[in-house]
Amino acid sequence: MPKKKISTIIPVYNTEKYISRCIDSIISQTYSEWELILVDDGSTDNSPDILNRYEKRESRITVIHQENSGPGMARNRGILQAAGDYIVFVDSDDVVKPDYFERLSGETADVVFIDVDQVDENLNILRKEYMSNYQFLSRDDFLRGQMTGKILWGGVRKAVKSELLLKNKIKFTEHKVGEEAIYSFLLMYHAESISFIKGSVYEYVNRGGSQSDTKDDDPLIVVAYALKEKILQMGLYGYYANTINAFIATAAIISLDRMAGIYEWSEYKIKARDRLLKYRQEVDPDKPVDTDHMMGKAKMLYPFLKAGMLTPIYFASCVNRMMRK
C-alpha cells in the first residue's frame, strides 16, 4: 500500500526573520512523503528570495508568488496546487515538531486535530492549547464550540483530507481576522470522521505584528454576519440560530473589551453605546443565546451586555489587562 502524501501549505508575508526556521522544520520531518507549497503573499521584504533559494535546493518544494490578498486567499491558492492525501497548514513564523507527519500518516479520519504549544519567539512554552482535551465532546458540542470561537479555529490546528475540501468546495474567507471560522464550521459539518493527535506536534509563535494581530475595534462582527449568511444559505438557521446569537454576542463583547484598552472612559461611553445599539439590532430576539458554547470571558460578561450595563464591562476589561501586565 503506497504511503500517504502530505501537502503542507505555508502562506508567507514579510517573515524573513522566521521563514527559514519554519521551512527547516518541514525538511527535518522523520516522514519523507511530503510536498511543501510556499505561497508568497506579496511580501515586500527578503522573504521571496529566501523561498526561491529553498525551491532550487529541494525538489519537494514549490513556490507561488501572488499579489497581497491575505492569509485565507493564500491558503486557498495552495489548496488548488496540493496533490497530497492530507493537507496541513503552517504559519510562516511557526515550527512543526519532527514527528508530526509521521504521526499524521497513521491517521485515517477526514479531519485530524492536533495539540499545539504556544511559544515565544525563542520557542519557550507560554501555554499549551491541546485540542485533544475536546475529544470526548459530542460532535454537536464540538461544532457549536467552534462556531463561537470557544474552541479555537485556526487552520494550523488540524490536518484535513484534501478530498473533503475539494468535494465540498470548502475554502477560507477573505476576512483579515477569523478567516478560519466558516472553514472550520464546514469541516465539522461535512466530515464523516475526526480524530486527535495527542501531545504537541506544533509550536505556535506568539509575537506582536503578525497577521493575526489587529487594532480593529470590532474584528469579528463581519465574520459573525458571514457565518450567519452561510448557515441561512444551507437551510440550517433554525437549528443553529441560538449559537449564531452567541457568536454575535461574543463579537460585541470582544469589541467592547478591545475599546476599553484603547479609549478613556469618556470616549469609551460614546463608542460603547453605539456598539451596544448595533448588537441589539444584530441579535435575533426570537431566538435564545447559547451561552453554554460561549468562551469563558464572553459568558461572564454576557449578562451585562444583555442588560446594557457598560460600566462593569469596561472595568472588568481594565482589571483583566492590569492583571496580565
Side-chain angles (χ1 to χ4, degrees):
M1 186 174 179
K3 284 187 172 183
K4 293 187 181 78
K5 186 173 184 178
I6 296 170
S7 296
T8 305
I9 299 171
I10 304 179
V12 181
Y13 180 73
N14 289 352
T15 49
E16 61 181 4
K17 181 179 176 182
Y18 307 96
I19 186 59
S20 291
R21 182 175 70 179
C22 179
I23 296 172
D24 288 342
S25 74
I26 304 296
I27 294 174
S28 300
Q29 289 295 299
T30 57
Y31 186 79
S32 61
E33 197 63 32
W34 54 262
E35 66 172 352
L36 173 57
I37 302 166
L38 296 159
V39 184
D40 167 36
D41 191 34
S43 296
T44 57
D45 65 357
N46 196 42
S47 296
D49 292 336
I50 297 172
L51 303 187
N52 291 337
R53 287 199 295 271
Y54 273 99
E55 184 179 35
K56 290 177 182 178
R57 286 163 39 191
E58 171 56 68
S59 62
R60 292 172 291 180
I61 293 178
T62 300
V63 176
I64 299 171
H65 298 283
Q66 66 177 30
E67 293 184 4
N68 182 250
S69 305
M73 296 301 98
R75 293 187 191 109
N76 290 341
R77 180 76 180 274
I79 291 170
L80 295 176
Q81 181 76 27
D85 300 290
Y86 275 107
I87 293 179
V88 167
F89 297 101
V90 176
D91 287 348
S92 60
D93 48 359
D94 295 344
V95 174
V96 294
K97 295 187 178 180
D99 62 341
Y100 181 8
F101 295 175
E102 188 80 53
R103 298 184 67 186
L104 177 60
S105 71
E107 297 291 331
T108 59
D110 288 342
V111 182
V112 182
F113 290 92
I114 65 169
D115 289 345
V116 171
D117 286 335
Q118 190 164 144
V119 299
D120 64 19
E121 293 187 33
N122 296 315
L123 306 185
N124 299 307
I125 295 177
L126 301 174
R127 62 178 176 271
K128 298 178 183 294
E129 296 176 347
Y130 282 11
M131 297 299 286
S132 61
N133 290 340
Y134 303 111
Q135 63 183 303
F136 300 113
L137 287 181
S138 69
R139 177 69 71 88
D140 188 63
D141 277 337
F142 194 107
L143 189 150
R144 289 176 187 270
Q146 288 258 279
M147 285 174 67
T148 66
K150 177 183 180 180
I151 298 176
L152 296 168
W153 302 316
V156 304
R157 293 181 174 88
K158 51 217 174 229
V160 186
K161 279 189 176 177
S162 54
E163 181 183 10
L164 178 68
L165 296 181
L166 297 174
K167 179 182 177 182
N168 297 288
K169 299 179 180 179
I170 300 173
K171 297 180 180 179
F172 292 87
T173 62
E174 297 182 27
H175 300 108
K176 292 181 179 179
V177 175
E179 73 275 4
E180 311 101 333
I182 293 176
Y183 169 85
S184 295
F185 172 80
L186 292 174
L187 285 184
M188 287 299 298
Y189 182 76
H190 289 293
E192 293 184 4
S193 56
I194 65 172
S195 64
F196 298 83
I197 293 177
K198 301 175 189 175
S200 172
V201 293
Y202 191 105
E203 294 179 314
Y204 180 94
V205 178
N206 187 334
R207 65 183 181 88
S210 66
Q211 290 193 85
S212 60
D213 187 34
T214 178
K215 304 302 181 186
D216 190 348
D217 283 358
D218 201 359
L220 288 183
I221 191 54
V222 292
V223 182
Y225 285 157
L227 181 57
K228 181 177 181 178
E229 183 60 30
K230 172 60 72 173
I231 287 173
L232 283 165
Q233 290 172 2
M234 295 172 71
L236 301 172
Y237 182 69
Y239 187 67
Y240 290 114
N242 63 330
T243 309
I244 288 292
N245 266 353
F247 189 20
I248 289 171
T250 297
I253 291 166
I254 287 174
S255 176
L256 293 170
D257 177 65
R258 283 185 174 233
M259 288 192 287
I262 299 171
Y263 306 110
E264 296 296 332
W265 171 243
S266 57
E267 188 174 3
Y268 176 86
K269 282 192 298 183
I270 298 169
K271 292 182 175 291
R273 284 172 186 155
D274 288 343
R275 187 60 183 87
L276 179 61
L277 177 61
K278 190 176 177 183
Y279 165 72
R280 288 171 172 167
Q281 294 168 342
E282 294 158 356
V283 73
D284 186 341
D286 298 323
K287 304 292 183 181
V289 175
D290 179 13
T291 55
D292 288 342
H293 294 100
M294 291 172 74
M295 61 183 73
K297 186 173 185 178
K299 184 175 182 178
M300 178 185 73
L301 295 177
Y302 171 68
F304 301 114
L305 177 73
K306 183 179 179 181
M309 299 171 64
L310 297 174
T311 303
I313 296 176
Y314 179 79
F315 284 104
S317 299
C318 291
V319 168
N320 188 51
R321 266 183 196 83
M322 286 190 290
M323 290 176 65
R324 291 205 306 262
K325 290 182 178 179

